[in-house]
């Protein structure tokens, strides 16, 4: 194909090919021949041969010229017709770009992010999720990119946030998607200025952020859950238990190999993670979920690569896992496969219900571990163990694992009985 086609063109061609029992290339070839013929038929200037110049001549529209046309000539009629066709195709492409809607450019932008940037598949899924939540089927997406002004966006977000349905973070995510599309529009020379940059997002009303200090496993509930799990010898139970004895992400837990265990020095080395990915297809659907193990840690920094000390309880759990899976590559392989985060959390939820404790996701186990280990002086060490590049991130993980007991302790320290 000599000229790029849009996402809409691809969809149409695939439909035509299916209906006519033809390949897409065959459909496109016939379509191109007919289109070129139509272009020449609609060309309003005469195509003629000049004996004096020994060349074929015609005119092409040009608004910059006095007669709003410019002469063009070629040695052969075939080459002249090619130039005429090229001119009108480029002219139409330019007009199409100027008339492209936000919805159309969004589809193009997604494929661009997939094919020409280092954005991960999970991030693209998040883009689609935010688009569907905020923009899909709204009047805004039907507008031409060039017609979207700062006041257009102010009115859109004012309406979207007037009932405080969304937190500031959620709206910021939507803003990032819109900003990405507009930046792409600038790169494609569709617009010269990004209207998102002129919008003050502090003016909108947001849903209050819920207090998260108690949204974590408590000490009592953790002990109750672990006591319940000690009698259940299966991969998920053991993986959940080990997570409470290490400062580890669930993706790292899933990717631990037996070769990563150093029994002599009581260490486990963390240098990979298991992720679940769904890649974007050309028709903007997603492929089925695939588990992928990568030698890259979350945050893509060297801080993720670290080692952890194995307590007596952690070693006991690993010995039980070895008995279950003596010949496997990975420590935890239910049904001979790497577990997924969803299946890990489903099993965690099941066991929490059976143990009679409130359920929190696997990620909140890290909150519990950081909170119980912090003593006020070991923040730098804790950041290393957590795999954080900044101590500020670690501070975010510190929660009240004693629930409301701290309120009473505060009064007791003042000598006041509660």
């Amino acid at each position: 194909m000599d000229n790029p086609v849009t996402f809409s063109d691809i969809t149409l061609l695939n439909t035509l090919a299916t209906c006519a029992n033809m390949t897409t290339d065959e459909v496109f070839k016939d379509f191109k021949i007919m289109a070129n013929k139509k272009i020449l038929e609609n060309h309003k200037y005469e195509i003629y041969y000049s004996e004096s110049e020994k060349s074929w001549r015609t005119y092409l529209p040009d608004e910059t010229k006095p007669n709003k046309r410019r002469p063009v000539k070629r040695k052969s009629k075939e080459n002249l017709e090619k130039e005429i066709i090229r001119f009108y195709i480029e002219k139409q492409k330019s007009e199409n770009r100027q008339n492209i809607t936000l919805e159309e450019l969004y589809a193009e932008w997604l494929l661009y992010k997939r094919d020409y940037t280092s954005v991960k598949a999970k991030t693209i899924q998040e883009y689609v999720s935010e688009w569907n939540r905020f923009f899909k089927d709204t009047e805004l997406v039907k507008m031409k990119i060039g017609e979207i002004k700062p006041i257009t966006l102010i009115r859109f977000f004012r309406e979207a946030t007037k009932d405080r349905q969304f937190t500031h973070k959620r709206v910021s995510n939507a803003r990032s998607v819109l900003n990405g599309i507009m930046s792409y529009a600038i790169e494609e020379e569709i617009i010269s200025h990004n209207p998102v940059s002129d919008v003050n997002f502090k003016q909108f009303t947001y849903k209050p952020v819920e207090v998260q200090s108690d949204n974590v496993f408590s000490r009592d509930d953790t002990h109750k859950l672990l006591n319940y799990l000690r009698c259940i010898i299966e991969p998920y139970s053991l993986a959940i238990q080990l997570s409470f004895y290490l400062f580890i992400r669930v993706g790292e837990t899933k990717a631990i190999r037996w070769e990563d265990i150093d029994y002599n020095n009581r260490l486990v080395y963390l240098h990979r993670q298991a992720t679940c990915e769904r890649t974007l297809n050309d028709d903007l659907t997603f492929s089925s979920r695939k588990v992928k193990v990568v030698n890259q840690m979350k945050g893509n920094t060297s801080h993720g690569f670290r080692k952890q000390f194995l307590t007596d309880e952690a070693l006991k759990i690993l010995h039980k896992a070895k008995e279950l899976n003596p010949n496997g590559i990975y420590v935890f392989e239910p049904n001979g496969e790497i577990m997924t985060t969803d299946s890990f959390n489903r099993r965690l939820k099941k066991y929490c219900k059976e143990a009679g404790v409130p359920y929190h996701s696997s990620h909140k186990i890290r909150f519990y571990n950081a909170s119980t280990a912090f003593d006020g002086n070991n923040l730098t060490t804790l950041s290393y163990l957590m795999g954080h590049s900044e101590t500020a991130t670690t501070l975010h993980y510190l929660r009240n694992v004693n629930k409301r007991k701290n309120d009473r302790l505060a009064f007791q320290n003042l000598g006041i009985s509660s």
Side-chain angles (χ1 to χ4, degrees), residues 21-166:
N21 195 25
M22 299 167 63
T23 66
T24 305
D25 287 341
E26 289 174 330
V27 172
F28 187 81
K29 183 179 179 180
D30 289 344
F31 176 80
K32 186 176 180 180
I33 291 171
M34 290 187 293
N36 289 347
K37 184 178 180 181
K38 195 69 176 177
I39 289 172
L40 293 174
E41 288 176 358
N42 291 335
H43 179 60
K44 65 180 182 179
Y45 298 106
E46 181 186 4
I47 299 174
Y48 64 95
Y49 183 76
S50 170
E51 287 288 349
S52 60
E53 297 181 335
K54 303 298 181 185
S55 63
W56 287 85
R57 294 177 54 91
T58 190
Y59 292 95
L60 290 175
D62 190 336
E63 293 295 321
T64 66
K65 303 299 182 184
N67 294 325
K68 299 187 182 303
R69 67 180 189 178
R70 62 179 173 86
V72 59
K73 62 182 180 179
R74 293 291 185 272
K75 289 295 183 182
S76 69
K77 184 178 181 180
E78 180 184 6
N79 285 340
L80 182 64
E81 288 179 342
K82 284 182 179 179
E83 176 59 22
I84 294 169
I85 292 168
R86 186 203 65 78
F87 170 82
Y88 284 111
I89 288 176
E90 291 299 318
K91 183 173 182 290
Q92 187 61 53
K93 281 172 60 179
S94 177
E95 291 175 358
N96 289 344
R97 295 306 269 171
Q98 296 306 313
N99 292 325
I100 195 168
T101 65
L102 178 61
E103 187 174 45
E104 291 168 337
L105 195 64
Y106 157 74
E108 189 176 311
W109 172 72
L110 280 182
L111 296 176
Y112 162 79
K113 297 296 283 187
R114 181 197 68 181
D115 296 336
Y116 299 104
T117 72
S118 58
V119 169
K120 296 179 181 177
K122 183 180 179 182
T123 303
I124 292 180
Q125 278 186 261
E126 292 169 355
Y127 291 156
V128 173
S129 177
E130 297 300 337
W131 173 271
N132 290 340
R133 179 181 287 108
F134 277 90
F135 306 113
K136 187 178 181 181
D137 298 328
T138 64
E139 292 299 318
L140 179 67
V141 305
K142 305 297 181 184
M143 293 182 65
K144 297 176 183 178
I145 292 291
E147 294 177 350
I148 299 176
K149 308 300 180 185
I151 187 60
T152 313
L153 300 178
I154 290 171
R155 289 168 178 166
F156 174 84
F157 281 102
R158 186 176 291 154
E159 178 67 21
T161 61
K162 68 178 182 180
D163 296 325
R164 298 181 182 270
Q165 291 178 296
F166 305 106

Side-chain angles (χ1 to χ4, degrees), residues 397-409:
Y397 278 72
L398 303 183
R399 301 295 168 87
N400 176 21
V401 296
N402 291 313
K403 300 301 182 184
R404 308 308 298 175
K405 290 181 181 179
N406 283 352
D407 295 346
R408 295 193 296 274
L409 288 172

